Amino acid sequence: MHRFVYIALIVILAGIVLLFKFQNLESATVSLFSMSITLPVSVLVLVIYVLGMFTGGFVLSLLRSMAHGATRRP
């Protein structure tokens, strides 16, 4: 029974993501220094989300190692 609930949730989430993708086809230009790139808004949001996950994971890992080093006894 739980399998069908999970499958239904995945289908609903995939539908929401596809709906977001098709409703945000406009382009946005991002500039950094002298470089610029034009992407659809939905792709830009996805890239920013993934970069946020990576940087958040790195920061969390760094804080954990610092806390572990601070509590380690000499």
Side-chain angles (χ1 to χ4, degrees), residues 20-21 24 26 38-49:
F20 176 78
K21 169 71 176 156
N24 292 289
E26 298 87 22
T38 302
L39 296 169
V41 173
S42 57
V43 174
L44 186 62
V45 168
L46 178 67
V47 168
I48 290 171
Y49 180 75

Side-chain angles (χ1 to χ4, degrees), residues 2-3 13 17 19 31 35 47 55 60 62 64 69:
H2 289 289
R3 181 188 309 174
L13 183 62
V17 168
L19 184 64
S31 300
M35 301 176 294
V47 168
T55 56
L60 186 61
L62 178 66
R64 282 183 181 167

Side-chain angles (χ1 to χ4, degrees), residues 57-67:
F58 291 143
V59 168
L60 186 61
S61 166
L62 178 66
L63 290 175
R64 282 183 181 167
S65 67
M66 288 173 60

Side-chain angles (χ1 to χ4, degrees), residues 11-31:
V11 168
I12 290 170
L13 183 62
I16 291 171
V17 168
L18 285 174
L19 184 64
F20 176 78
K21 169 71 176 156
F22 288 121
Q23 286 186 348
N24 292 289
L25 292 175
E26 298 87 22
S27 294
T29 302
V30 178
S31 300

